[in-house]
Amino acid sequence: MDYVAALVPPVVMAIAFTALVVTIIKSQGGANKAKEDAAVDAALARAEAARQPAEGGAA
């Protein structure tokens, strides 16, 4: 029975890793893609806007 106890953790980790990969792949694209892209674009625009006055004021 020691071999069963030795094999359970790697099997559980393999199943969990497979589930994680499947979840990541399924969450790519689809209906949420536009919302995620818009959130990233907004964050980049805020970062760019915050950077512009600092560069203009230093010159």
Side-chain angles (χ1 to χ4, degrees), residues 5-41:
L7 289 176
V8 168
V11 170
V12 170
M13 290 302 293
I15 292 170
F17 181 73
T18 302
L20 175 67
V21 170
V22 168
T23 302
I24 290 171
I25 291 171
K26 283 186 176 182
S27 68
Q28 298 298 309
N32 291 330
K33 183 166 177 49
K35 186 170 31 172
E36 292 170 359
D37 289 346
V40 170
D41 290 341

Side-chain angles (χ1 to χ4, degrees), residues 10 46 48 54:
R46 283 192 304 268
E48 185 68 25

